[in-house]
Amino acid sequence: MNNLTPMIKQYLSVKEKYPDAILFYRMGDFYEMFFEDAKLASEILDITLTSRDKNKEDSIPLCGIPYHAASSYIQKLVDQGYKVAICEQMEEASKAKGIVRREVIRVITPGMILEDDYLQPKANNFLMAISLGEERFGLAILDASTGDFLATEVNTAQSLLDEVMRTAPKEIIFPSNVKEQAPAKQLMKAFPQALYSPLPPEVFDGERSKERIKTLGLLFPEGKKQALQAVGAILFYVEETQKVQPRHLSLLHFYQVQDYMVLDETTRKNLELFENLATRRRKGSLLEILDQTVSSMGGRMLKRWIGSPLMDLDKTNERLDKVSELKEKDLSRQRLRETMSQVKDMERLSARISLGLANARDLVALKSSLNLLPEIKSIISLLEQENFKRYLIELDELPEMKNLLEKAIEDNPPIALKEGGLIKKGFDAALDRLREISREGKRWIADLETKERLRTGISSLKVRYNKVFGYYIEVTKANLPAVPSHYMRKQTLSNAERFITQELQEYETQVLNAEAEKDTLEYQIFLQVLGKVSAEVPRIQRIAQALAEIDVLLALAEVAERYGYNRPQFNEGDSLAISEGRHPVLERMGLEERFIPNDLALNSEDRQILIITGPNMAGKSTIMRQAALISIMAQIGSFVPAKEANLCLLDRIFTRVGATDDLVRGRSTFMVEMEEVAHILRNITPRSLILLDEIGRGTSTFDGLSIAWAVTEYLHEESPSRAKTLFATHYHELTELALTRPRIKNYHVAVKEWNDRVIFLRKLVEGGTSRSYGIQVARLAGLPPEVIDRAKEVLHNLEQGEFTEGGVPKLAVSRRKKPTWESHQPTLFQPPADPLRETLKKIDPNQLTPLEALTILSEMKSRFSSETD
């Protein structure tokens, strides 16, 4: 340290407090980074890495960026999961005694982003705090950019994981002493995309948390110790990173996880709720179809609704009542949507205002949004539903604040806050006087050029200004003999001289002093106005929430009217019946063929499990997925794509769809599949809906069939839940279960054969099928004709038996050519033992299992020409 400069010593003392952040150290017009920060930032940001004292062996790595261009660089670092600490100069270099004082004014982290430039308009950016107790886990969830603030407690590690998946936080804070505990390790493995920020355990102390909550005046339920600690920790983190008290966090909502349907990560992906499976983009998802919102606030709320369907029938029907009236009243709906489209993002405005990050344009945006409230309330007052009346109260017009903004803030202010142009004329008398002094001085200086030209006779004489020399008189060298004696030389150029006069100096001092005083006073007045507006942030947030909810209801009504959706009905039992249901996404994708609606019915009495067979591409997966999507849509308060839908409330939807591996975590396709099935069987309830699209494809046929059979039996017999299940399969043997299990029913997706080709009818009909039409589908996929023909031969051989009379596998027999190796077999070669005969020898008929019997029957069926044989 003794060999380091004072500036580097200061840098290191600041960096020591923020070891996990990249430190942006302000030096004049640049942010500089040193040592390891410089190496890391230069690589990520693709900027030049240089060094201080290049000629020394112990030179210090260095890189830098212009301060006015920092935004894009910060965004790039944060997007890659890094924290950025902004260290600013807290005094002017000219006034500093020694080294300029510097302080970190903010730490930007993936979970603590407030600038619109870094955020998606219609997506929340959540920070989560987790407190791990012995029996319960506490969670606090915050979007600092909007003020959305939630807390809950859960009993199990699985419930903890479900909530993390539901909210998808960008950053998770937790006590550093639990990092090696099983729940924390399980979470980090299952959800690696978040940045995990350990904090000292004392940050989660219950008493300290109570004090922080009390300071902000938050209401919190008694007895929720773990949630209390998580809330306290998140409040500490916000204050620590933003360096101000988070006054906008005044509306804390404590919720119970059982209030909402659980949709785990696998289900969200498989049902394509928020992004298309193939493209990983929003297009082709349920969110894209339903999102007809006209504001960012509404878009974010709709996404939260889709991820958290209600379990409260009264609240669901209240939403449906509102959507129903808005759907019917087309003119009112369109007028509201047009007006709402002009509303700015009041949630994010209020957060920036509260944290002191707002500029004058933010206040103008707030004022313009408040000016729209009378029109919105006027339209709402014409609606008949009693539930709409509360919006008339919640849409507080804030007349005093609106009047303050109207009088104080210029209609088109600059972004910069310290260069003037913010405050209207007439708002502050002292500011008006300084402006007048400045104007008079500038007017005198402007007139000076004309006067001096006349006095000196120098027609090219100019009066100019720059930041280095201030005001000056410029005369070309050809006219120097005519310069008066009272002119004082200030600067010599190659072809001109610059002068000042005593009078010009006096007016310059007057103008510049007035300008500086004016800008300083104007900024102070702006801060006073901002402070008064900040005091009203809780009221602004309530307005914003009401507007967001209205926007979502309008969007759902617009979708219902535009796409011909109908209102779902709910029953208090456990039956699910859909008439002419459609897939909300696929029907809107402009497919070449007309979308075929389908009926579906499930209950726990006699239709608990539907075994659905049929060829690939016939539509089995579509029918299953649309049933789940219709249930989700209904429980968020949306109309549904069906002629009729009589539904029960579902508390979970499970999906086992598709074949994917997880090579990063060392899991094969089959292992992923089995883990998903195990997760389903461990967590089902009587109100669950299960979608199983094939089980056991990643292993041998008999193993796969055995597992599929056993899982189906378990769902029917062993599980007391009687969870409603849709099981699509190519194991046609599973259809035999319907003969002995009363709550299992067979269905298939109909096809029609024509000229050895298959035509998909897309209709779900009762009864099983014994064919999958795989070869016909392969032909549609474009396999070469010779491959198709050979596949037919192999299929024929399979259906006739396994071996020829000479002991050669029938799969190898071809009518077109004879295998060369068949004629070279030794004469003493004996045909291999018949597998069926060997199996029958080993089996004790008194201990025959259903699966063994099924296997034998299936083999015998392929051996003999008729059932009689």
Side-chain angles (χ1 to χ4, degrees):
M1 289 290 286
N2 292 333
N3 297 327
L4 298 175
T5 65
M7 187 274 291
I8 292 295
K9 287 181 180 179
Q10 184 191 59
Y11 170 87
L12 290 172
S13 68
V14 175
K15 174 64 181 175
E16 188 178 13
K17 299 174 185 176
Y18 302 92
D20 60 343
I22 295 174
L23 183 64
F24 274 34
Y25 183 81
R26 182 71 177 269
M27 294 184 66
D29 289 339
F30 284 82
Y31 285 119
E32 304 283 7
M33 286 147 276
F34 300 98
F35 301 102
E36 293 305 313
D37 281 1
K39 295 177 182 178
L40 179 61
S42 64
E43 183 178 346
I44 296 170
L45 302 177
D46 194 23
I47 56 178
T48 302
L49 178 68
T50 181
S51 63
R52 293 176 66 88
D53 303 322
K54 294 182 181 180
N55 297 326
K56 295 184 178 180
E57 291 184 6
D58 57 347
S59 61
I60 297 170
L62 158 71
C63 68
I65 58 170
Y67 85 95
H68 56 79
S71 179
S72 60
Y73 293 107
I74 293 172
Q75 181 177 3
K76 195 169 184 180
L77 290 170
V78 173
D79 285 347
Q80 294 199 32
Y82 294 96
K83 301 178 182 180
V84 179
I86 309 297
C87 183
E88 290 287 0
Q89 297 178 177
M90 305 309 291
E91 57 185 349
E92 294 181 23
S94 59
K95 298 179 181 179
K97 295 179 180 179
I99 190 167
V100 175
R101 184 169 60 89
R102 294 177 174 87
E103 291 179 6
V104 170
I105 62 165
R106 236 184 114 197
V107 181
I108 302 172
T109 78
M112 282 302 304
I113 301 175
L114 301 166
E115 291 80 3
D116 283 348
D117 291 345
Y118 304 165
L119 297 165
Q120 297 180 30
K122 289 190 172 185
N124 282 105
N125 192 79
F126 283 123
L127 168 72
M128 177 181 282
I130 298 176
S131 174
L132 303 179
E134 293 182 3
E135 297 181 353
R136 295 181 68 78
F137 307 114
L139 293 87
I141 305 150
L142 169 68
D143 184 343
S145 73
T146 65
D148 289 313
F149 197 9
L150 310 168
T152 190
E153 285 191 354
V154 296
N155 297 324
T156 66
Q158 182 59 53
S159 294
L160 170 65
L161 185 58
D162 288 339
E163 286 308 293
V164 171
M165 297 300 182
R166 185 203 297 272
T167 53
K170 300 292 185 182
E171 183 177 2
I172 297 175
I173 58 178
F174 61 97
S176 57
N177 60 347
V178 304
K179 190 172 183 179
E180 297 304 317
Q181 291 184 15
K185 293 172 75 172
Q186 179 187 354
L187 176 60
M188 292 179 192
K189 182 179 179 181
F191 194 72
Q193 55 266 50
L195 171 67
Y196 289 86
S197 299
L199 297 178
E202 56 267 23
V203 170
F204 291 79
D205 177 72
E207 291 303 316
R208 295 185 186 185
S209 296
K210 283 182 182 178
E211 284 301 315
R212 295 185 194 113
I213 290 171
K214 184 179 178 181
T215 301
L216 289 177
L218 297 172
L219 300 176
F220 199 82
E222 292 290 333
K224 303 298 181 183
K225 177 183 175 182
Q226 298 303 323
L228 175 79
Q229 293 175 356
V231 168
I234 222 168
L235 293 175
F236 166 85
Y237 195 69
V238 175
E239 191 167 344
E240 184 70 12
T241 56
Q242 304 308 300
K243 308 303 178 184
V244 294
Q245 269 200 347
R247 293 287 178 185
H248 69 303
L249 306 184
S250 58
L251 303 175
L252 173 62
H253 173 59
F254 187 88
Y255 71 97
Q256 304 285 351
V257 292
Q258 57 265 32
D259 293 342
Y260 304 99
M261 181 196 296
V262 177
L263 299 166
D264 59 33
E265 183 185 26
T266 302
T267 297
R268 290 163 182 260
K269 286 181 178 178
N270 289 335
L271 295 182
E272 300 177 303
L273 297 186
F274 303 117
E275 64 180 20
N276 181 271
L277 262 176
T279 65
R280 310 288 298 189
R281 296 183 181 276
R282 187 172 180 269
K283 185 174 179 59
S285 68
L286 179 65
L287 178 61
E288 187 224 355
I289 296 299
L290 296 185
D291 189 6
Q292 297 298 322
T293 57
V294 293
S295 73
S296 299
M297 299 179 292
R300 290 192 296 270
M301 181 172 282
L302 174 63
K303 189 174 181 180
R304 292 197 298 273
W305 282 18
I306 293 173
S308 305
L310 296 172
M311 287 298 297
D312 187 313
L313 197 53
D314 291 335
K315 289 181 180 179
T316 305
N317 279 319
E318 181 183 323
R319 288 181 184 177
L320 288 167
D321 289 341
K322 294 175 189 172
V323 171
S324 181
E325 183 170 356
L326 290 171
K327 176 178 179 287
E328 294 303 318
K329 295 188 175 176
D330 186 73
L331 182 59
S332 295
R333 185 177 75 252
Q334 298 307 331
R335 284 180 59 200
L336 271 174
R337 281 169 56 81
E338 184 179 348
T339 308
M340 288 283 297
S341 67
Q342 302 170 58
V343 174
K344 308 302 180 184
D345 195 337
M346 293 177 67
E347 288 180 331
R348 287 185 171 162
L349 285 174
S350 65
R352 291 200 296 274
I353 289 168
S354 175
L355 294 170
L357 299 174
N359 58 36
R361 290 186 182 179
D362 289 332
L363 298 187
V364 172
L366 175 62
K367 181 187 71 174
S368 69
S369 298
L370 293 174
N371 286 334
L372 295 168
L373 296 186
E375 173 68 12
I376 293 171
K377 291 170 71 173
S378 173
I379 302 169
I380 289 175
S381 67
L382 301 176
L383 300 174
E384 297 172 8
Q385 278 287 332
E386 192 64 29
N387 292 327
F388 281 113
K389 299 298 184 278
R390 70 176 175 86
Y391 297 129
L392 301 178
I393 300 170
E394 292 172 357
L395 295 178
D396 185 352
E397 296 179 35
L398 301 178
E400 303 89 355
M401 191 179 76
K402 189 167 63 174
N403 185 52
L404 171 65
L405 294 176
E406 183 61 45
K407 288 182 176 180
I409 306 298
E410 287 283 1
D411 294 332
N412 189 25
I415 293 178
L417 295 178
K418 296 185 177 181
E419 298 175 9
L422 308 176
I423 306 301
K424 281 184 177 179
K425 180 181 178 181
F427 182 74
D428 184 88
L431 179 61
D432 289 345
R433 281 195 300 274
L434 289 171
R435 283 173 171 167
E436 185 59 31
I437 292 170
S438 177
R439 273 195 300 272
E440 286 296 324
K442 288 179 180 178
R443 191 159 36 241
W444 182 91
I445 291 171
D447 293 341
L448 178 65
E449 184 175 276
T450 303
K451 287 194 299 181
E452 291 301 309
R453 282 182 178 181
L454 291 173
R455 182 191 300 179
T456 62
I458 304 173
S459 60
S460 61
L461 181 148
K462 300 172 183 176
V463 177
R464 293 290 182 267
Y465 171 82
N466 67 36
K467 289 184 178 181
V468 177
F469 294 106
Y471 287 99
Y472 56 84
I473 299 170
E474 185 173 291
V475 178
T476 60
K477 288 195 172 179
N479 290 303
L480 288 180
V483 170
S485 59
H486 67 281
Y487 275 27
M488 296 176 285
R489 183 176 280 104
K490 194 166 189 177
Q491 186 186 17
T492 299
L493 304 177
S494 60
N495 61 349
E497 298 276 350
R498 290 174 176 174
F499 302 88
I500 57 170
T501 67
Q502 186 68 34
E503 194 176 23
L504 178 58
Q505 277 186 314
E506 291 173 359
Y507 271 95
E508 178 186 50
T509 301
Q510 176 182 314
V511 168
L512 295 182
N513 286 347
E515 280 288 311
E517 288 183 45
K518 173 183 71 68
D519 291 347
T520 300
L521 179 58
E522 195 161 3
Y523 179 60
Q524 290 172 351
I525 294 170
F526 171 78
L527 291 180
Q528 291 171 6
V529 173
L530 186 63
K532 292 179 180 178
V533 175
S534 180
E536 303 294 346
V537 159
R539 295 169 72 185
I540 298 171
Q541 288 177 318
R542 282 190 284 271
I543 296 168
Q545 287 187 1
L547 289 171
E549 190 171 318
I550 293 167
D551 191 16
V552 175
L553 295 170
L554 287 167
L556 295 179
E558 182 70 19
V559 170
E561 176 63 24
R562 190 179 296 183
Y563 301 146
Y565 293 176
N566 290 302
R567 177 170 181 161
Q569 302 299 319
F570 286 95
N571 60 71
E572 295 184 359
D574 62 359
S575 64
L576 183 151
I578 299 170
S579 174
E580 296 186 18
R582 315 186 305 273
H583 193 292
V585 180
L586 287 183
E587 72 165 347
R588 306 253 55 88
M589 291 184 69
L591 303 175
E592 293 181 1
E593 57 181 297
R594 181 174 63 88
F595 191 91
I596 305 298
N598 271 292
D599 300 343
L600 189 73
L602 288 166
N603 60 59
S604 63
E605 297 302 318
D606 59 358
R607 303 174 67 82
Q608 177 203 342
I609 302 172
L610 301 190
I611 303 292
I612 304 174
T613 50
N616 289 309
M617 295 176 57
K620 301 188 298 297
S621 297
T622 297
I623 291 168
M624 294 198 305
R625 284 181 169 104
Q626 74 190 33
L629 290 172
I630 285 171
S631 293
I632 290 170
M633 290 171 66
Q635 285 182 229
I636 71 169
S638 171
F639 281 30
V640 298
K643 182 179 180 181
E644 292 179 1
N646 193 302
L647 310 171
C648 59
L649 288 175
L650 300 177
D651 63 359
R652 294 194 72 135
I653 295 178
F654 295 98
T655 60
R656 157 82 282 284
V657 176
T660 57
D661 55 26
D662 189 351
L663 298 180
V664 174
R665 300 183 209 171
R667 301 187 302 166
S668 68
T669 299
F670 182 65
M671 176 58 80
V672 170
E673 182 180 312
M674 290 300 99
E675 287 183 355
E676 289 177 358
V677 173
H679 168 69
I680 292 171
L681 298 183
R682 282 196 305 266
N683 294 284
I684 51 176
T685 72
R687 288 193 172 275
S688 298
L689 174 65
I690 304 173
L691 309 185
L692 300 176
D693 191 353
E694 291 295 354
I695 291 181
R697 287 186 299 184
T699 186
S700 69
T701 302
F702 278 9
D703 282 355
L705 173 58
S706 303
I707 293 168
W709 185 287
V711 167
T712 310
E713 279 189 343
Y714 179 86
L715 290 170
H716 188 277
E717 301 294 340
E718 302 298 330
S719 170
S721 298
R722 293 194 179 186
K724 290 171 283 296
T725 304
L726 298 173
F727 191 167
T729 183
H730 289 285
Y731 293 136
H732 301 120
E733 294 85 351
L734 292 182
T735 60
E736 305 291 336
L737 282 163
L739 299 176
T740 57
R741 304 300 191 275
R743 297 191 303 280
I744 296 179
K745 296 291 183 284
N746 290 325
Y747 277 79
H748 70 277
V749 183
V751 297
K752 187 176 182 63
E753 287 187 84
W754 181 74
N755 285 348
D756 199 28
R757 280 170 165 74
V758 62
I759 300 170
F760 300 119
L761 302 181
R762 314 293 188 194
K763 202 68 180 174
L764 185 67
V765 295
E766 194 159 4
T769 181
S770 60
R771 296 188 60 189
S772 289
Y773 300 94
I775 295 176
Q776 288 84 346
V777 173
R779 177 188 281 113
L780 290 175
L783 263 66
E786 54 268 31
V787 174
I788 298 297
D789 292 342
R790 179 62 182 137
K792 287 181 183 178
E793 287 184 351
V794 174
L795 177 62
H796 175 77
N797 294 341
L798 277 170
E799 292 173 343
Q800 294 303 310
E802 292 189 15
F803 296 93
T804 66
E805 291 181 2
V808 176
K810 284 190 174 181
L811 294 184
V813 175
S814 171
R815 288 191 293 272
R816 290 177 295 170
K817 58 183 180 180
K818 189 174 182 180
T820 56
W821 51 264
E822 185 175 6
S823 59
H824 293 99
Q825 294 202 39
T827 55
L828 297 177
F829 176 79
Q830 296 297 317
D834 185 335
L836 176 59
R837 186 180 298 276
E838 293 301 312
T839 300
L840 289 172
K841 283 180 182 177
K842 296 176 184 177
I843 286 176
D844 180 354
N846 297 319
Q847 297 180 1
L848 196 65
T849 68
L851 184 58
E852 288 171 333
L854 178 69
T855 305
I856 294 167
L857 289 170
S858 176
E859 181 65 24
M860 291 174 68
K861 203 171 181 180
S862 68
R863 298 285 183 100
F864 303 115
S865 58
S866 70
E867 290 183 12
T868 305
D869 292 340

